[in-house]
Amino acid sequence: MATTPPPTTTKSETPPPRSVLRETAFLRLWAGTTASGLATWALPFVLGLAVLHRDLGAAGLGLVLAARTAGFLVAVAVGGVLADRHSRRAVVLWSALAAAVAAPLLAAGLGRSLVLMTAAAALAGAGQGACRPAFQALTAETVAPDRRQQANAAMTMAVRSSTLAGPALTALLAAFLDIGTLLLGIGLLWLIAALVPAKGTTTTADSTTDPAPRAGFRAEFLEGIREARRHPWFLAGLAALVAVIALGYSATSVALPLISRDRYDTQWVLAAAMTAYTVGALAGALVIARWRPRSQGWAAFAGLAAYGVAPLSLMLPVHPLVVVAAYAVAGIGIELFNVPWFTATQREVAPDKLARVSSLDFLVSYGLAPLGLALMAPAIDAFGVTTVLGACAAACFLVPAAAALVPTARHFARPAPTTTD
């Protein structure tokens, strides 16, 4: 007797995850972060134009930029504690407003008072520094964990696009606007950064839920350091990042203009290499927005180590297109590291300590970069450009490779606890 075959069950199809670019809260956060990044990049460029217009001397430019860096380094540590102690959205608001207030003060001091400009630059740097860890923590509050890598890639693409198109746009605006007006435009960007982002969907930093008295600033900052030490992959990544920035990036920043002039007798190599680096970074962000490597930590460290090809290409008498290609590879690699690094930090670090741990990242990497730049030129004079570039290239390759051997580095994650029956 024939039997009726059982009905076929249709496989339940789960809808594809909604793109983070369709989330209004993220788009507002993205717009604010992009505005702050563009304002951060534009200030030294506009001040450089002020030197060309003789509104500011070279020594004055150095003093103003140094004050900005000092303000950043002090505020990034303070901002990390404040963003874990209070609302991350409030920290973004007030720090960006501080940077916005600094812009008209810079314009008022231009050509009149170097003291006022120096103080305003320190205020601008402080606003920038306090924003950075708060924005990192606010991203974790706004975006669901499964879409944070896409969100971080979108953030870095916006910053790289600004770096690529910014010089031409600023130069075009400078043909019609004076330096003071451009500085006010930077203040407007900071106003956007202050007012546009929405409040996060979680309240991990809301101090009203904890009636217990707060520890002092120093104790809370040290608590953030202890949290960072719980994650060996984070400490290893920070060491590798410092090696690449303070040695590799500093060496190429000093050597590339010299080699472009002396070896190739043209400034085209300098411009093309820097453009290729930015284009490569954009390509890297596009790739890592969707790519999920099985061993994300090892893949990220490999990308970071790829920066070593940039100083390596400057050591050798190669065709200039080889130098340009090496910088493109370095740009791709740096974003293959950055995006998973930020995503893993947002995932693995305790939410109520995320801003403090992020501030350590910015404090160490940004804090040691000026030291590397300051020491690089004397080192080149003492040992020669080839020797210095070779040592820095070796550091770019070897330090990330050593960091990849640290426990928990393979996946940028602590191992899951084992259960016993």
Side-chain angles (χ1 to χ4, degrees):
M1 184 176 67
T3 60
T4 303
T8 57
T9 59
T10 58
K11 185 184 296 184
S12 62
E13 295 183 359
T14 59
R18 186 180 183 184
S19 170
V20 72
L21 298 178
R22 298 176 64 184
E23 297 288 342
T24 302
F26 171 73
L27 289 178
R28 291 178 62 180
L29 177 63
W30 177 86
T33 307
T34 301
S36 71
L38 186 57
T40 298
W41 169 86
L43 182 56
F45 190 85
V46 171
L47 292 176
L49 292 177
V51 174
L52 294 179
H53 293 184
R54 301 186 185 280
D55 294 320
L56 183 66
L61 175 63
L63 181 62
V64 169
L65 292 180
R68 178 190 184 223
T69 300
F72 175 91
L73 293 176
V74 171
V76 74
V78 176
V81 174
L82 292 178
D84 281 340
R85 180 181 287 188
H86 304 291
S87 163
R88 277 81 185 257
R89 179 64 187 89
V91 173
V92 167
L93 171 66
W94 291 108
S95 56
L97 285 177
V101 168
L105 295 178
L106 282 166
L110 187 66
R112 301 180 184 89
S113 172
L114 183 58
V115 173
L116 178 59
M117 290 194 71
T118 302
L123 180 61
Q128 174 197 345
C131 266
R132 294 301 295 269
F135 268 127
Q136 281 291 99
L138 194 57
T139 301
E141 290 187 2
T142 303
V143 182
D146 61 335
R147 289 181 301 208
R148 286 178 189 162
Q149 185 155 321
Q150 185 186 35
N152 288 317
M155 296 283 197
T156 195
M157 287 176 62
V159 173
R160 298 298 183 182
S161 298
S162 300
T163 304
L164 188 63
L169 178 60
T170 305
L172 179 63
L173 291 175
F176 303 97
L177 303 173
D178 58 29
I179 303 301
T181 304
L182 292 176
L183 289 171
L184 293 178
I186 292 174
L188 179 61
L189 288 172
W190 278 115
L191 278 178
I192 294 173
L195 302 176
V196 168
K199 187 177 181 180
T201 57
T202 63
T203 56
T204 57
D206 189 355
S207 60
T208 61
T209 61
D210 183 10
R214 305 296 305 227
F217 173 85
R218 180 176 178 274
E220 292 201 2
F221 183 76
L222 293 176
E223 190 178 41
I225 294 177
R226 286 193 294 272
E227 171 64 21
R229 291 173 59 185
R230 290 182 56 244
H231 306 278
W233 62 267
F234 180 84
L235 298 180
L238 197 56
L241 189 60
V242 166
V244 170
I245 292 178
L247 296 177
Y249 188 80
S250 296
T252 54
S253 296
V254 174
L256 178 60
L258 300 176
I259 290 174
S260 180
R261 180 196 65 192
D262 298 338
R263 180 187 299 167
Y264 300 108
D265 194 26
T266 177
Q267 297 302 310
W268 174 85
V269 177
L270 170 63
M274 297 308 298
T275 302
Y277 178 79
T278 303
V279 172
L282 279 169
L286 280 172
V287 169
I288 203 60
R290 294 188 175 275
W291 182 39
R292 301 295 187 272
R294 186 182 299 272
S295 301
Q296 65 166 341
W298 285 0
F301 281 125
L304 186 62
Y307 192 88
V309 301
L312 190 63
S313 71
L314 298 178
M315 289 176 56
L316 308 173
V318 296
H319 192 278
L321 289 180
V322 175
V323 176
V324 175
Y327 269 79
V329 170
I332 293 171
I334 206 71
E335 293 308 335
L336 294 183
F337 174 84
N338 279 341
V339 174
W341 169 259
F342 290 140
T343 305
T345 304
Q346 293 161 351
R347 181 188 67 242
E348 297 294 320
V349 172
D352 61 331
K353 301 177 181 67
L354 176 57
R356 278 170 283 178
V357 173
S358 296
S359 73
L360 289 175
D361 179 5
F362 298 125
L363 183 64
V364 173
S365 57
Y366 280 82
L368 293 180
L371 180 62
L373 286 169
L375 296 178
M376 205 54 61
I380 289 175
D381 291 339
F383 304 105
V385 65
T386 301
T387 301
V388 171
L389 286 171
C392 292
C396 289
F397 292 132
L398 296 177
V399 177
L405 301 178
V406 170
T408 73
R410 178 174 181 175
H411 301 290
F412 276 172
R414 294 169 62 87
T418 58
T419 58
T420 58
D421 295 334

